[in-house]
Amino acid sequence: MGILKDKFTAKVNASNTEIKNLLKEHGSKVAGEVTLAQIYQGMRGITGLVTETSLLDAQEGIRFRGYSIPELQQQLPKAPKGDQPLPEGLFYLMLTGELPSEEDANYITDVWQRRSHVPNHVFAAIDALPVSTHPMTMYVVGVMALQTESYFAKRYAEGLNKKDYWEPVFDDAMILLARLPRIAAYIYRRKYKNSEHIHPNGLLDWAGNLAHMLGYDDKGFMELMRLYMTIHADHEGGNVSAHTTHLVGSALSDPYLSYAAGMNGLAGPLHGLANQEVIKWIFEMQESLGTDEPSKEQIADYVKKTLSEGKVVPGYGHAVLRKTDPRFTAQMEFGKNYMPDDKLVNTVWKIYETVPPILQSLGKIKNPWPNVDAHSGALLVHYGLVEYEFYTVLFAVSRALGVMASLIWDRGLGFPLERPKSVTTEQVKLWLEGKDQIWGE
Ligand code: HAX
């Protein structure tokens, strides 16, 4: 891992100097104000942390180190004869800030291939759970079992200089990334394919190998995995999974502990679990309507029924985005190229034409447009991966790319323990009466 570490060292040293000077000159500049509503309502719109790997624009969507998804699809290295980016290239970009050459991406594939062996006790820990366990629970248990391997935890226990924290975090992150596809595939084959496991293929790239170990060697599915792993990787720092990983990491919990914590957040239905909820909701709609080709009118009625029952329409809305998610659009383009006549995929597109005006008409939803989760399941179903409870595990494997690149940066930049201030309503009332300060320990 020497070449990549050397590259990172040069980048992080330059950044440290830049940030030190920036704070010296501008550290006391006021960067915004906070309303009482924001304090009570999920801290929306409060800028409170630095994440170098990607930036989310409410109108335009995500950019990874300045590159949009269509730009990444053009400029990142591809698998032989492939047309989708290799996630290895995205990881390189997020870690170094530079577009990788084919050689750079292949180097990462090679490192991850060599470090992909998962110790037996991890499989034993997963096997100890009932088969009925949700795949995300199995996944987090697998990650936690892998924590026995942490270099950071060992080196910290031995006594590690602050300046060197990032290095074992880097090693842990690379090894964790190398092993996650194996863990994910193991869970899938155990739960849904009678524990008939498939050996990794040493010649395949990271996402291609995941497809292979899941049991889907179709070229289209491999390309889908490369796209899927790329677009789900990062969504700046404030989302639940990225923020949790960063927060737990700030206590110097090692990368395994931090990532597992983040993935427990991803497993919530308002976040990553929404991808399973979308397909579940569509299947339930099909069953209730008695057709797998519902009309727009039928969809509209079903959406209104969902809302009248006090439920959310899964896959729609976002805490930051205010337009159609470019990750949704990238998947729609993939569908148009690879499966234009698929009934379920066409239903997803009909839902897209139907839902936004209905949500808009409620007058309270800030973003009526689809997010990434509105589309992903239908593409997986097309290739036969119908077991929707597994979908969030795929999201989790991808999200590791972003949160691990960020965690390496967090330690490289020496970010301290994160600890915002909270208040009680009693104190808020005193403050409103002019009898107390709201801030300050
Ligand atoms: N269906 C029904 N109601 C919705 C809605 C939806 N899709 N999206 C928002 N609303 C409601 C909210 O529940 C809220 O209602 P109340 O005032 O009655 O509490 C109101 O509209 C205002 O919400 P908002 O300000 O527009 O949205 P938030 O920032 O609070 O929440 C969510 C953002 C993503 C959680 C929300 O849009 C939602 O629940 N969407 C459906 C679940 C989903 O798709 N989640 C995945 C999001 C993307 C992601 O993280 N992927 O992993």
PDB file of all heavy atoms in Angstrom, residues 44 266 269-274 307 311-320 322 327 359 362 364-367 371-373 395, ligand 1:
ATOM      1  N   ARG A  44     -31.348  20.700  10.389  1.00  0.00           N
ATOM      2  CA  ARG A  44     -31.305  20.943   8.943  1.00  0.00           C
ATOM      3  C   ARG A  44     -30.626  22.275   8.644  1.00  0.00           C
ATOM      4  O   ARG A  44     -30.933  23.289   9.272  1.00  0.00           O
ATOM      5  CB  ARG A  44     -32.704  21.017   8.339  1.00  0.00           C
ATOM      6  CG  ARG A  44     -33.501  19.778   8.392  1.00  0.00           C
ATOM      7  CD  ARG A  44     -32.967  18.688   7.477  1.00  0.00           C
ATOM      8  NE  ARG A  44     -33.871  17.580   7.535  1.00  0.00           N
ATOM      9  CZ  ARG A  44     -34.005  16.786   8.593  1.00  0.00           C
ATOM     10  NH1 ARG A  44     -33.230  16.952   9.645  1.00  0.00           N
ATOM     11  NH2 ARG A  44     -34.893  15.809   8.597  1.00  0.00           N
ATOM     12  N   LEU A 266     -27.544   3.368   8.655  1.00  0.00           N
ATOM     13  CA  LEU A 266     -27.978   3.125   7.267  1.00  0.00           C
ATOM     14  C   LEU A 266     -29.179   2.181   7.247  1.00  0.00           C
ATOM     15  O   LEU A 266     -30.014   2.223   6.340  1.00  0.00           O
ATOM     16  CB  LEU A 266     -26.827   2.523   6.441  1.00  0.00           C
ATOM     17  CG  LEU A 266     -27.059   2.517   4.925  1.00  0.00           C
ATOM     18  CD1 LEU A 266     -26.840   3.913   4.336  1.00  0.00           C
ATOM     19  CD2 LEU A 266     -26.148   1.512   4.217  1.00  0.00           C
ATOM     20  N   PRO A 269     -35.238   2.943   8.028  1.00  0.00           N
ATOM     21  CA  PRO A 269     -36.083   3.116   6.835  1.00  0.00           C
ATOM     22  C   PRO A 269     -36.103   4.518   6.255  1.00  0.00           C
ATOM     23  O   PRO A 269     -36.450   4.686   5.086  1.00  0.00           O
ATOM     24  CB  PRO A 269     -37.481   2.705   7.314  1.00  0.00           C
ATOM     25  CG  PRO A 269     -37.433   2.726   8.802  1.00  0.00           C
ATOM     26  CD  PRO A 269     -36.012   2.494   9.199  1.00  0.00           C
ATOM     27  N   LEU A 270     -35.748   5.543   7.043  1.00  0.00           N
ATOM     28  CA  LEU A 270     -35.682   6.883   6.448  1.00  0.00           C
ATOM     29  C   LEU A 270     -34.358   7.099   5.744  1.00  0.00           C
ATOM     30  O   LEU A 270     -34.156   8.108   5.065  1.00  0.00           O
ATOM     31  CB  LEU A 270     -35.893   7.964   7.519  1.00  0.00           C
ATOM     32  CG  LEU A 270     -37.264   7.980   8.187  1.00  0.00           C
ATOM     33  CD1 LEU A 270     -37.419   9.215   9.068  1.00  0.00           C
ATOM     34  CD2 LEU A 270     -38.413   7.914   7.176  1.00  0.00           C
ATOM     35  N   HIS A 271     -33.417   6.179   5.906  1.00  0.00           N
ATOM     36  CA  HIS A 271     -32.097   6.303   5.241  1.00  0.00           C
ATOM     37  C   HIS A 271     -31.949   5.106   4.288  1.00  0.00           C
ATOM     38  O   HIS A 271     -32.786   4.905   3.413  1.00  0.00           O
ATOM     39  CB  HIS A 271     -31.023   6.385   6.331  1.00  0.00           C
ATOM     40  CG  HIS A 271     -29.644   6.759   5.863  1.00  0.00           C
ATOM     41  ND1 HIS A 271     -29.395   7.355   4.648  1.00  0.00           N
ATOM     42  CD2 HIS A 271     -28.426   6.620   6.463  1.00  0.00           C
ATOM     43  CE1 HIS A 271     -28.094   7.557   4.522  1.00  0.00           C
ATOM     44  NE2 HIS A 271     -27.475   7.117   5.606  1.00  0.00           N
ATOM     45  N   GLY A 272     -30.919   4.296   4.445  1.00  0.00           N
ATOM     46  CA  GLY A 272     -30.613   3.274   3.436  1.00  0.00           C
ATOM     47  C   GLY A 272     -31.638   2.160   3.288  1.00  0.00           C
ATOM     48  O   GLY A 272     -31.772   1.563   2.212  1.00  0.00           O
ATOM     49  N   LEU A 273     -32.372   1.880   4.376  1.00  0.00           N
ATOM     50  CA  LEU A 273     -33.366   0.801   4.272  1.00  0.00           C
ATOM     51  C   LEU A 273     -34.501   1.189   3.315  1.00  0.00           C
ATOM     52  O   LEU A 273     -35.302   0.342   2.917  1.00  0.00           O
ATOM     53  CB  LEU A 273     -33.937   0.446   5.652  1.00  0.00           C
ATOM     54  CG  LEU A 273     -34.526  -0.965   5.760  1.00  0.00           C
ATOM     55  CD1 LEU A 273     -33.421  -1.997   5.954  1.00  0.00           C
ATOM     56  CD2 LEU A 273     -35.526  -1.079   6.919  1.00  0.00           C
ATOM     57  N   ALA A 274     -34.556   2.474   2.948  1.00  0.00           N
ATOM     58  CA  ALA A 274     -35.598   2.915   2.006  1.00  0.00           C
ATOM     59  C   ALA A 274     -35.531   2.116   0.707  1.00  0.00           C
ATOM     60  O   ALA A 274     -36.549   1.943   0.042  1.00  0.00           O
ATOM     61  CB  ALA A 274     -35.463   4.414   1.734  1.00  0.00           C
ATOM     62  N   LEU A 307     -50.469   7.759   1.822  1.00  0.00           N
ATOM     63  CA  LEU A 307     -50.377   9.002   2.596  1.00  0.00           C
ATOM     64  C   LEU A 307     -51.497   9.076   3.635  1.00  0.00           C
ATOM     65  O   LEU A 307     -51.272   9.512   4.766  1.00  0.00           O
ATOM     66  CB  LEU A 307     -50.439  10.209   1.652  1.00  0.00           C
ATOM     67  CG  LEU A 307     -49.219  10.381   0.727  1.00  0.00           C
ATOM     68  CD1 LEU A 307     -49.483  11.449  -0.331  1.00  0.00           C
ATOM     69  CD2 LEU A 307     -47.962  10.727   1.530  1.00  0.00           C
ATOM     70  N   LYS A 311     -48.290   7.114   6.272  1.00  0.00           N
ATOM     71  CA  LYS A 311     -46.978   6.538   5.942  1.00  0.00           C
ATOM     72  C   LYS A 311     -46.273   7.431   4.939  1.00  0.00           C
ATOM     73  O   LYS A 311     -46.916   8.214   4.225  1.00  0.00           O
ATOM     74  CB  LYS A 311     -47.168   5.150   5.322  1.00  0.00           C
ATOM     75  CG  LYS A 311     -47.821   4.148   6.244  1.00  0.00           C
ATOM     76  CD  LYS A 311     -48.028   2.860   5.484  1.00  0.00           C
ATOM     77  CE  LYS A 311     -48.878   1.872   6.259  1.00  0.00           C
ATOM     78  NZ  LYS A 311     -49.420   0.828   5.386  1.00  0.00           N
ATOM     79  N   VAL A 312     -44.950   7.279   4.840  1.00  0.00           N
ATOM     80  CA  VAL A 312     -44.212   8.031   3.820  1.00  0.00           C
ATOM     81  C   VAL A 312     -44.219   7.239   2.510  1.00  0.00           C
ATOM     82  O   VAL A 312     -44.374   6.017   2.517  1.00  0.00           O
ATOM     83  CB  VAL A 312     -42.739   8.315   4.226  1.00  0.00           C
ATOM     84  CG1 VAL A 312     -42.683   9.233   5.435  1.00  0.00           C
ATOM     85  CG2 VAL A 312     -41.942   7.035   4.457  1.00  0.00           C
ATOM     86  N   VAL A 313     -44.074   7.946   1.390  1.00  0.00           N
ATOM     87  CA  VAL A 313     -43.877   7.276   0.105  1.00  0.00           C
ATOM     88  C   VAL A 313     -42.381   7.017  -0.005  1.00  0.00           C
ATOM     89  O   VAL A 313     -41.593   7.959  -0.163  1.00  0.00           O
ATOM     90  CB  VAL A 313     -44.363   8.152  -1.070  1.00  0.00           C
ATOM     91  CG1 VAL A 313     -44.124   7.446  -2.400  1.00  0.00           C
ATOM     92  CG2 VAL A 313     -45.833   8.500  -0.893  1.00  0.00           C
ATOM     93  N   PRO A 314     -41.953   5.763   0.118  1.00  0.00           N
ATOM     94  CA  PRO A 314     -40.513   5.506   0.169  1.00  0.00           C
ATOM     95  C   PRO A 314     -39.822   5.858  -1.147  1.00  0.00           C
ATOM     96  O   PRO A 314     -40.388   5.658  -2.223  1.00  0.00           O
ATOM     97  CB  PRO A 314     -40.416   4.005   0.466  1.00  0.00           C
ATOM     98  CG  PRO A 314     -41.736   3.434   0.099  1.00  0.00           C
ATOM     99  CD  PRO A 314     -42.752   4.523   0.214  1.00  0.00           C
ATOM    100  N   GLY A 315     -38.598   6.385  -1.030  1.00  0.00           N
ATOM    101  CA  GLY A 315     -37.825   6.721  -2.236  1.00  0.00           C
ATOM    102  C   GLY A 315     -38.047   8.153  -2.700  1.00  0.00           C
ATOM    103  O   GLY A 315     -37.427   8.586  -3.663  1.00  0.00           O
ATOM    104  N   TYR A 316     -38.926   8.873  -2.011  1.00  0.00           N
ATOM    105  CA  TYR A 316     -39.192  10.268  -2.389  1.00  0.00           C
ATOM    106  C   TYR A 316     -38.882  11.191  -1.225  1.00  0.00           C
ATOM    107  O   TYR A 316     -39.110  10.834  -0.067  1.00  0.00           O
ATOM    108  CB  TYR A 316     -40.649  10.430  -2.858  1.00  0.00           C
ATOM    109  CG  TYR A 316     -40.779   9.903  -4.273  1.00  0.00           C
ATOM    110  CD1 TYR A 316     -40.809   8.533  -4.511  1.00  0.00           C
ATOM    111  CD2 TYR A 316     -40.746  10.763  -5.360  1.00  0.00           C
ATOM    112  CE1 TYR A 316     -40.841   8.033  -5.809  1.00  0.00           C
ATOM    113  CE2 TYR A 316     -40.783  10.276  -6.664  1.00  0.00           C
ATOM    114  CZ  TYR A 316     -40.824   8.912  -6.876  1.00  0.00           C
ATOM    115  OH  TYR A 316     -40.834   8.438  -8.150  1.00  0.00           O
ATOM    116  N   GLY A 317     -38.331  12.368  -1.548  1.00  0.00           N
ATOM    117  CA  GLY A 317     -37.982  13.348  -0.521  1.00  0.00           C
ATOM    118  C   GLY A 317     -36.513  13.261  -0.164  1.00  0.00           C
ATOM    119  O   GLY A 317     -35.836  12.262  -0.442  1.00  0.00           O
ATOM    120  N   HIS A 318     -36.017  14.328   0.403  1.00  0.00           N
ATOM    121  CA  HIS A 318     -34.623  14.360   0.853  1.00  0.00           C
ATOM    122  C   HIS A 318     -34.419  15.536   1.799  1.00  0.00           C
ATOM    123  O   HIS A 318     -35.060  16.576   1.649  1.00  0.00           O
ATOM    124  CB  HIS A 318     -33.664  14.483  -0.337  1.00  0.00           C
ATOM    125  CG  HIS A 318     -32.282  14.037   0.004  1.00  0.00           C
ATOM    126  ND1 HIS A 318     -31.357  14.881   0.561  1.00  0.00           N
ATOM    127  CD2 HIS A 318     -31.676  12.833  -0.097  1.00  0.00           C
ATOM    128  CE1 HIS A 318     -30.245  14.212   0.776  1.00  0.00           C
ATOM    129  NE2 HIS A 318     -30.406  12.966   0.399  1.00  0.00           N
ATOM    130  N   ALA A 319     -33.514  15.337   2.762  1.00  0.00           N
ATOM    131  CA  ALA A 319     -33.275  16.398   3.740  1.00  0.00           C
ATOM    132  C   ALA A 319     -32.497  17.572   3.147  1.00  0.00           C
ATOM    133  O   ALA A 319     -32.578  18.694   3.650  1.00  0.00           O
ATOM    134  CB  ALA A 319     -32.538  15.828   4.945  1.00  0.00           C
ATOM    135  N   VAL A 320     -31.735  17.356   2.102  1.00  0.00           N
ATOM    136  CA  VAL A 320     -30.921  18.433   1.512  1.00  0.00           C
ATOM    137  C   VAL A 320     -31.303  18.684   0.046  1.00  0.00           C
ATOM    138  O   VAL A 320     -31.499  19.830  -0.358  1.00  0.00           O
ATOM    139  CB  VAL A 320     -29.403  18.097   1.613  1.00  0.00           C
ATOM    140  CG1 VAL A 320     -28.554  19.197   0.986  1.00  0.00           C
ATOM    141  CG2 VAL A 320     -28.986  17.876   3.063  1.00  0.00           C
ATOM    142  N   ARG A 322     -33.141  19.209  -3.484  1.00  0.00           N
ATOM    143  CA  ARG A 322     -34.418  19.815  -3.843  1.00  0.00           C
ATOM    144  C   ARG A 322     -34.776  19.550  -5.301  1.00  0.00           C
ATOM    145  O   ARG A 322     -35.620  20.232  -5.885  1.00  0.00           O
ATOM    146  CB  ARG A 322     -34.374  21.338  -3.567  1.00  0.00           C
ATOM    147  CG  ARG A 322     -34.236  21.681  -2.092  1.00  0.00           C
ATOM    148  CD  ARG A 322     -35.484  21.256  -1.302  1.00  0.00           C
ATOM    149  NE  ARG A 322     -35.342  21.453   0.143  1.00  0.00           N
ATOM    150  CZ  ARG A 322     -35.120  20.476   1.029  1.00  0.00           C
ATOM    151  NH1 ARG A 322     -34.988  19.216   0.636  1.00  0.00           N
ATOM    152  NH2 ARG A 322     -35.052  20.732   2.312  1.00  0.00           N
ATOM    153  N   ARG A 327     -28.456  10.450  -8.856  1.00  0.00           N
ATOM    154  CA  ARG A 327     -28.218   9.008  -8.699  1.00  0.00           C
ATOM    155  C   ARG A 327     -29.434   8.225  -9.209  1.00  0.00           C
ATOM    156  O   ARG A 327     -29.306   7.123  -9.731  1.00  0.00           O
ATOM    157  CB  ARG A 327     -27.943   8.672  -7.215  1.00  0.00           C
ATOM    158  CG  ARG A 327     -26.716   9.393  -6.664  1.00  0.00           C
ATOM    159  CD  ARG A 327     -26.570   9.199  -5.155  1.00  0.00           C
ATOM    160  NE  ARG A 327     -27.712   9.715  -4.408  1.00  0.00           N
ATOM    161  CZ  ARG A 327     -27.877   9.587  -3.096  1.00  0.00           C
ATOM    162  NH1 ARG A 327     -26.961   8.948  -2.380  1.00  0.00           N
ATOM    163  NH2 ARG A 327     -28.925  10.096  -2.489  1.00  0.00           N
ATOM    164  N   LEU A 359     -47.185  14.792  -3.986  1.00  0.00           N
ATOM    165  CA  LEU A 359     -46.467  15.234  -2.772  1.00  0.00           C
ATOM    166  C   LEU A 359     -46.450  16.771  -2.708  1.00  0.00           C
ATOM    167  O   LEU A 359     -46.649  17.350  -1.637  1.00  0.00           O
ATOM    168  CB  LEU A 359     -45.039  14.678  -2.750  1.00  0.00           C
ATOM    169  CG  LEU A 359     -44.895  13.153  -2.575  1.00  0.00           C
ATOM    170  CD1 LEU A 359     -43.428  12.757  -2.460  1.00  0.00           C
ATOM    171  CD2 LEU A 359     -45.653  12.644  -1.346  1.00  0.00           C
ATOM    172  N   LEU A 362     -49.423  18.518  -1.209  1.00  0.00           N
ATOM    173  CA  LEU A 362     -49.614  18.490   0.247  1.00  0.00           C
ATOM    174  C   LEU A 362     -49.109  19.780   0.891  1.00  0.00           C
ATOM    175  O   LEU A 362     -49.511  20.131   1.998  1.00  0.00           O
ATOM    176  CB  LEU A 362     -48.886  17.294   0.863  1.00  0.00           C
ATOM    177  CG  LEU A 362     -49.341  15.895   0.422  1.00  0.00           C
ATOM    178  CD1 LEU A 362     -48.510  14.840   1.116  1.00  0.00           C
ATOM    179  CD2 LEU A 362     -50.826  15.686   0.721  1.00  0.00           C
ATOM    180  N   LYS A 364     -46.382  20.582   2.300  1.00  0.00           N
ATOM    181  CA  LYS A 364     -45.430  20.586   3.435  1.00  0.00           C
ATOM    182  C   LYS A 364     -44.108  19.902   3.100  1.00  0.00           C
ATOM    183  O   LYS A 364     -43.129  20.035   3.835  1.00  0.00           O
ATOM    184  CB  LYS A 364     -46.069  19.912   4.657  1.00  0.00           C
ATOM    185  CG  LYS A 364     -46.349  18.422   4.479  1.00  0.00           C
ATOM    186  CD  LYS A 364     -46.708  17.773   5.801  1.00  0.00           C
ATOM    187  CE  LYS A 364     -46.893  16.269   5.633  1.00  0.00           C
ATOM    188  NZ  LYS A 364     -47.203  15.572   6.850  1.00  0.00           N
ATOM    189  N   ILE A 365     -44.082  19.147   1.991  1.00  0.00           N
ATOM    190  CA  ILE A 365     -42.876  18.369   1.680  1.00  0.00           C
ATOM    191  C   ILE A 365     -41.890  19.239   0.899  1.00  0.00           C
ATOM    192  O   ILE A 365     -42.227  19.775  -0.156  1.00  0.00           O
ATOM    193  CB  ILE A 365     -43.261  17.096   0.898  1.00  0.00           C
ATOM    194  CG1 ILE A 365     -44.145  16.232   1.794  1.00  0.00           C
ATOM    195  CG2 ILE A 365     -42.035  16.338   0.433  1.00  0.00           C
ATOM    196  CD1 ILE A 365     -44.713  15.003   1.146  1.00  0.00           C
ATOM    197  N   LYS A 366     -40.689  19.386   1.422  1.00  0.00           N
ATOM    198  CA  LYS A 366     -39.745  20.319   0.792  1.00  0.00           C
ATOM    199  C   LYS A 366     -39.196  19.782  -0.518  1.00  0.00           C
ATOM    200  O   LYS A 366     -38.797  20.549  -1.381  1.00  0.00           O
ATOM    201  CB  LYS A 366     -38.611  20.636   1.772  1.00  0.00           C
ATOM    202  CG  LYS A 366     -39.130  21.350   3.011  1.00  0.00           C
ATOM    203  CD  LYS A 366     -38.022  22.000   3.807  1.00  0.00           C
ATOM    204  CE  LYS A 366     -38.555  22.488   5.140  1.00  0.00           C
ATOM    205  NZ  LYS A 366     -38.970  21.376   6.049  1.00  0.00           N
ATOM    206  N   ASN A 367     -39.128  18.474  -0.652  1.00  0.00           N
ATOM    207  CA  ASN A 367     -38.594  17.908  -1.900  1.00  0.00           C
ATOM    208  C   ASN A 367     -39.472  16.741  -2.359  1.00  0.00           C
ATOM    209  O   ASN A 367     -39.400  15.661  -1.782  1.00  0.00           O
ATOM    210  CB  ASN A 367     -37.150  17.424  -1.652  1.00  0.00           C
ATOM    211  CG  ASN A 367     -36.577  16.757  -2.883  1.00  0.00           C
ATOM    212  OD1 ASN A 367     -36.847  17.166  -4.010  1.00  0.00           O
ATOM    213  ND2 ASN A 367     -35.805  15.717  -2.682  1.00  0.00           N
ATOM    214  N   ASN A 371     -35.324  10.066  -4.705  1.00  0.00           N
ATOM    215  CA  ASN A 371     -33.920   9.933  -4.303  1.00  0.00           C
ATOM    216  C   ASN A 371     -33.360   8.623  -4.861  1.00  0.00           C
ATOM    217  O   ASN A 371     -34.053   7.898  -5.581  1.00  0.00           O
ATOM    218  CB  ASN A 371     -33.787  10.046  -2.775  1.00  0.00           C
ATOM    219  CG  ASN A 371     -34.630   8.996  -2.041  1.00  0.00           C
ATOM    220  OD1 ASN A 371     -34.461   7.793  -2.262  1.00  0.00           O
ATOM    221  ND2 ASN A 371     -35.538   9.452  -1.179  1.00  0.00           N
ATOM    222  N   VAL A 372     -32.134   8.321  -4.507  1.00  0.00           N
ATOM    223  CA  VAL A 372     -31.422   7.153  -5.074  1.00  0.00           C
ATOM    224  C   VAL A 372     -32.201   5.847  -4.893  1.00  0.00           C
ATOM    225  O   VAL A 372     -32.191   4.962  -5.749  1.00  0.00           O
ATOM    226  CB  VAL A 372     -30.011   7.041  -4.445  1.00  0.00           C
ATOM    227  CG1 VAL A 372     -30.074   6.724  -2.956  1.00  0.00           C
ATOM    228  CG2 VAL A 372     -29.125   6.058  -5.160  1.00  0.00           C
ATOM    229  N   ASP A 373     -32.921   5.744  -3.751  1.00  0.00           N
ATOM    230  CA  ASP A 373     -33.559   4.471  -3.401  1.00  0.00           C
ATOM    231  C   ASP A 373     -34.813   4.178  -4.217  1.00  0.00           C
ATOM    232  O   ASP A 373     -35.292   3.044  -4.228  1.00  0.00           O
ATOM    233  CB  ASP A 373     -33.901   4.471  -1.901  1.00  0.00           C
ATOM    234  CG  ASP A 373     -32.666   4.677  -1.053  1.00  0.00           C
ATOM    235  OD1 ASP A 373     -31.660   4.006  -1.314  1.00  0.00           O
ATOM    236  OD2 ASP A 373     -32.693   5.523  -0.145  1.00  0.00           O
ATOM    237  N   PHE A 395     -25.971  -1.369  -0.421  1.00  0.00           N
ATOM    238  CA  PHE A 395     -25.744   0.059  -0.153  1.00  0.00           C
ATOM    239  C   PHE A 395     -24.588   0.198   0.856  1.00  0.00           C
ATOM    240  O   PHE A 395     -23.679   1.027   0.693  1.00  0.00           O
ATOM    241  CB  PHE A 395     -27.046   0.648   0.403  1.00  0.00           C
ATOM    242  CG  PHE A 395     -27.146   2.146   0.444  1.00  0.00           C
ATOM    243  CD1 PHE A 395     -28.398   2.765   0.439  1.00  0.00           C
ATOM    244  CD2 PHE A 395     -26.028   2.962   0.490  1.00  0.00           C
ATOM    245  CE1 PHE A 395     -28.518   4.150   0.477  1.00  0.00           C
ATOM    246  CE2 PHE A 395     -26.141   4.355   0.535  1.00  0.00           C
ATOM    247  CZ  PHE A 395     -27.390   4.943   0.540  1.00  0.00           C
TER     248      PHE A 395
HETATM  249  N1  HAX B   1     -43.795  10.777   1.820  1.00  0.00           N
HETATM  250  C1  HAX B   1     -44.653  11.322   2.725  1.00  0.00           C
HETATM  251  N2  HAX B   1     -44.340  12.352   3.518  1.00  0.00           N
HETATM  252  C2  HAX B   1     -43.117  12.884   3.375  1.00  0.00           C
HETATM  253  C3  HAX B   1     -42.190  12.403   2.449  1.00  0.00           C
HETATM  254  C4  HAX B   1     -42.552  11.290   1.658  1.00  0.00           C
HETATM  255  N3  HAX B   1     -41.725  10.724   0.778  1.00  0.00           N
HETATM  256  N4  HAX B   1     -41.048  13.137   2.527  1.00  0.00           N
HETATM  257  C5  HAX B   1     -41.261  14.054   3.499  1.00  0.00           C
HETATM  258  N5  HAX B   1     -42.516  13.894   4.011  1.00  0.00           N
HETATM  259  C6  HAX B   1     -43.125  14.643   5.115  1.00  0.00           C
HETATM  260  C7  HAX B   1     -42.279  14.511   6.366  1.00  0.00           C
HETATM  261  O1  HAX B   1     -42.543  13.285   7.022  1.00  0.00           O
HETATM  262  C8  HAX B   1     -42.694  15.727   7.155  1.00  0.00           C
HETATM  263  O2  HAX B   1     -43.957  15.479   7.683  1.00  0.00           O
HETATM  264  P1  HAX B   1     -44.406  16.077   9.129  1.00  0.00           P
HETATM  265  O3  HAX B   1     -44.197  17.554   9.035  1.00  0.00           O
HETATM  266  O4  HAX B   1     -45.815  15.645   9.255  1.00  0.00           O
HETATM  267  O5  HAX B   1     -43.486  15.448  10.131  1.00  0.00           O
HETATM  268  C9  HAX B   1     -42.873  16.772   6.038  1.00  0.00           C
HETATM  269  O6  HAX B   1     -43.102  16.026   4.835  1.00  0.00           O
HETATM  270  C10 HAX B   1     -41.674  17.688   5.832  1.00  0.00           C
HETATM  271  O7  HAX B   1     -40.528  16.876   5.620  1.00  0.00           O
HETATM  272  P2  HAX B   1     -39.283  17.438   4.778  1.00  0.00           P
HETATM  273  O8  HAX B   1     -38.752  18.641   5.504  1.00  0.00           O
HETATM  274  O9  HAX B   1     -39.676  17.609   3.349  1.00  0.00           O
HETATM  275  O10 HAX B   1     -38.282  16.221   4.832  1.00  0.00           O
HETATM  276  P3  HAX B   1     -37.238  15.816   5.974  1.00  0.00           P
HETATM  277  O11 HAX B   1     -35.959  16.530   5.713  1.00  0.00           O
HETATM  278  O12 HAX B   1     -37.813  15.952   7.336  1.00  0.00           O
HETATM  279  O13 HAX B   1     -37.070  14.251   5.719  1.00  0.00           O
HETATM  280  C11 HAX B   1     -36.729  12.277   4.443  1.00  0.00           C
HETATM  281  C12 HAX B   1     -36.338  13.750   4.635  1.00  0.00           C
HETATM  282  C13 HAX B   1     -35.817  11.663   3.431  1.00  0.00           C
HETATM  283  C14 HAX B   1     -36.554  11.553   5.797  1.00  0.00           C
HETATM  284  C15 HAX B   1     -38.225  12.203   3.997  1.00  0.00           C
HETATM  285  O14 HAX B   1     -38.351  12.871   2.758  1.00  0.00           O
HETATM  286  C16 HAX B   1     -38.744  10.778   3.885  1.00  0.00           C
HETATM  287  O15 HAX B   1     -39.190  10.229   4.903  1.00  0.00           O
HETATM  288  N6  HAX B   1     -38.726  10.168   2.657  1.00  0.00           N
HETATM  289  C17 HAX B   1     -39.152   8.789   2.471  1.00  0.00           C
HETATM  290  C18 HAX B   1     -38.091   7.804   2.952  1.00  0.00           C
HETATM  291  C19 HAX B   1     -36.883   7.820   2.031  1.00  0.00           C
HETATM  292  O16 HAX B   1     -36.996   7.726   0.813  1.00  0.00           O
HETATM  293  N7  HAX B   1     -35.700   7.891   2.618  1.00  0.00           N
HETATM  294  C20 HAX B   1     -34.434   7.850   1.867  1.00  0.00           C
HETATM  295  C21 HAX B   1     -33.800   9.233   1.743  1.00  0.00           C
HETATM  296  C22 HAX B   1     -32.506   9.220   0.963  1.00  0.00           C
HETATM  297  C23 HAX B   1     -31.486   8.403   1.677  1.00  0.00           C
HETATM  298  O17 HAX B   1     -30.971   8.698   2.738  1.00  0.00           O
HETATM  299  N8  HAX B   1     -31.179   7.283   1.119  1.00  0.00           N
HETATM  300  O18 HAX B   1     -30.441   6.370   1.740  1.00  0.00           O
END
